Amino acid sequence: MNARKIKGAVALVTGANRGIGRALTEALLSRGVGKVYATARNPEALRDLRDERFVLLRLDVTDADQISAAAASDVDLVFNNAGVAFMGGIADSIVIGQARREMEVNYFGPLQLLQCLAPTLARNGGGAVVNIGSAAGLTNLPFVPTYSASKAALHSLTQAARILLGSQGTSVFGVYAGPVDTDMSRELAMPKTSPRDVAFAILDGIEAGQEYIFPDPFAADFGRQFESSPKASERQVAAMVASLAA
Ligand SMILES: NC(=O)c1ccc[n+]([C@@H]2O[C@H](COP(=O)([O-])OP(=O)(O)OC[C@H]3O[C@@H](n4cnc5c(N)ncnc54)[C@H](OP(=O)(O)O)[C@@H]3O)[C@@H](O)[C@H]2O)c1
């Protein structure tokens, strides 16, 4: 795995208007990135990003035309960050619609962006792709069962991309975050890491060439356990769910 430098890179970030995407966009700038295509469904929400290195773009990751239009020819560092998560059980009446939406945004979006940008990355020397997944994509967190499944699909895609794009010199990083203090985790009553700290830890992981990036204390603990025993991680989650239900 090749480490990638942030300084001078030309990055594209999806969902750059808030949360981890916004923090990544700002962290990239402070680490000396050459240019950032900061993208969002509503580019008005990016207007306060005033540095001349920002290029603001409209990009809904479920819109094929917008993805083609955003596939800028000079990009060499892609952050698949945009995501949605729905709380709820698998017997809820709305679960199918929500699960489909999660797959559209969290899996098909990154897949389509990869399909579109892989030739660009090849032309630009290989570059790198960073998929913002979740610890819940490695061990299902049943508070968000269908979200976890969509992140498991993203993890699987990340593994495939690492091999398939490796031959063109593209580095592929998977990020497996724990709870981060953003709108997405508002209902989660547990300690959370700031998006800023997570963003810098992700950039550190890229520069260190870590294929699996665990960017916060919860994720780091989880990662150590998962790497020694995936089954033990599953048992630990089951015990946590049982104790909360008791
Ligand atoms: N927060 C956590 O605890 C946590 C933990 C692990 C992993 N993650 C992952 O980190 C990533 C960022 O999440 P976050 O915590 O920053 O959540 P967030 O604050 O809810 O932000 C989600 C971002 O995704 C964008 N988005 C949603 N649907 C989109 C679409 N169809 N096209 C383009 N952008 C879209 C949102 O844009 P709008 O403003 O237009 O909705 C927003 O910018 C996600 O992939 C998430 O799964 C988060």
Side-chain angles (χ1 to χ4, degrees):
M1 156 65 66
N2 291 329
R4 293 283 161 182
K5 279 206 172 79
I6 304 301
K7 195 171 165 52
V10 178
L12 182 146
V13 181
T14 64
N17 54 306
R18 60 190 169 97
I20 296 170
R22 168 59 68 118
L24 272 171
T25 302
E26 290 167 351
L28 281 163
L29 209 67
S30 73
R31 286 281 173 90
V33 77
K35 190 194 280 188
V36 185
Y37 291 94
T39 78
R41 291 195 287 189
N42 172 16
E44 279 303 311
L46 302 165
R47 285 276 170 243
D48 59 314
L49 294 174
R50 293 193 190 283
D51 193 280
E52 61 189 11
R53 285 171 287 171
F54 289 129
V55 179
L56 313 185
L57 289 181
R58 181 184 302 279
L59 178 56
D60 181 327
V61 300
T62 64
D63 185 314
D65 293 338
Q66 288 183 16
I67 285 181
S68 301
S73 61
D74 53 351
V75 170
D76 61 12
L77 180 58
V78 180
F79 290 86
N80 278 310
N81 165 76
V84 289
F86 300 110
M87 306 274 282
I90 51 178
D92 291 357
S93 60
I94 55 174
V95 68
I96 300 296
Q98 291 191 332
R100 284 194 203 285
R101 183 70 190 161
E102 286 165 332
M103 288 301 281
E104 284 296 336
V105 177
N106 301 349
Y107 171 69
F108 285 107
L111 175 58
Q112 197 154 7
L113 207 65
L114 271 186
Q115 180 194 35
C116 231
L117 279 168
T120 305
L121 292 173
R123 275 195 303 277
N124 294 335
V129 173
V130 186
N131 289 336
I132 311 297
S134 168
L138 296 176
T139 301
N140 193 299
L141 190 64
F143 308 117
V144 279
T146 54
Y147 167 78
S148 301
S150 73
K151 291 294 186 181
L154 179 65
H155 168 58
S156 186
L157 175 66
T158 302
Q159 291 178 311
R162 187 170 293 131
I163 294 167
L164 297 173
L165 302 186
S167 57
Q168 67 171 38
T170 303
S171 302
V172 178
F173 300 90
V175 176
Y176 303 93
V180 186
D181 194 5
T182 67
D183 294 340
M184 182 176 283
S185 64
R186 204 182 301 127
E187 292 175 39
L188 212 58
M190 59 191 293
K192 298 169 203 169
T193 304
S194 77
R196 183 178 185 281
D197 287 354
V198 164
F200 279 106
I202 292 170
L203 300 190
D204 288 343
I206 295 166
E207 295 200 313
Q210 295 166 0
E211 290 184 352
Y212 285 53
I213 300 174
F214 295 101
D216 57 88
F218 177 100
D221 281 351
F222 168 84
R224 273 188 290 275
Q225 184 179 56
F226 181 81
E227 280 169 4
S228 68
S229 169
K231 190 65 194 168
S233 292
E234 190 182 326
R235 283 197 200 99
Q236 190 179 28
V237 170
M240 179 176 76
V241 172
S243 75
L244 288 174

